[in-house]
Amino acid sequence: MIDDRRRHEPGGAPVPDEVGGPLHQVVVSEALKALSPAHREILNETILRNRSVDDAAKALGIPVGTVKSRVYYAVRALRIALQERGVRA
């Protein structure tokens, strides 16, 4: 009965802290896998490696404008992938 009620409530039950960290990592990892290789690559260079747009462009051998465009669309696609997995901002 409780599970049925939680299923119909927005947000569901809170996740305990000791489970939340690893669970969030799995959800983000799965969302990243849903992105195209180009989007994963650009997020890896700019966000995970903390490179500037100019540095990412040099590392990937693509124009700066392409990096900016890919970052924009990659973040947008990642947001959608996370929302599909129940993550809310």
Side-chain angles (χ1 to χ4, degrees), residues 1 3-4 6-7 15-16 22 25-26 31 36 40 45 51-52 54 71 73 81-82 86:
M1 185 165 126
D3 288 339
D4 187 55
R6 286 180 182 161
R7 213 174 289 126
V15 177
Q25 289 175 351
V26 169
S36 70
R40 279 194 307 272
E45 291 296 324
R51 289 188 172 163
S52 69
D54 290 335
V71 168
Y73 287 107
L82 288 169

Side-chain angles (χ1 to χ4, degrees), residues 7-24:
R7 213 174 289 126
H8 298 291
E9 290 178 349
V15 177
D17 287 341
E18 59 271 3
V19 175
L23 180 60
H24 289 130

Side-chain angles (χ1 to χ4, degrees), residues 71-89:
V71 168
Y72 172 81
Y73 287 107
V75 169
R76 193 170 138 189
L78 181 60
R79 183 179 298 122
I80 291 168
L82 288 169
Q83 288 174 347
E84 289 172 351
R85 287 158 178 79
V87 175
R88 301 289 176 243

Side-chain angles (χ1 to χ4, degrees), residues 14-73:
V15 177
D17 287 341
E18 59 271 3
V19 175
L23 180 60
H24 289 130
Q25 289 175 351
V26 169
V27 171
V28 171
S29 177
E30 290 299 315
L32 284 169
K33 288 178 186 176
L35 301 181
S36 70
H39 286 166
R40 279 194 307 272
E41 178 182 54
I42 205 68
L43 292 179
N44 182 52
E45 291 296 324
T46 57
I47 295 174
L48 299 177
R49 292 187 178 184
N50 198 28
R51 289 188 172 163
S52 69
V53 171
D54 290 335
D55 290 341
K58 288 176 189 172
L60 297 173
I62 59 177
V64 171
T66 302
V67 172
K68 290 179 182 181
S69 177
R70 283 189 191 169
V71 168
Y72 172 81
Y73 287 107

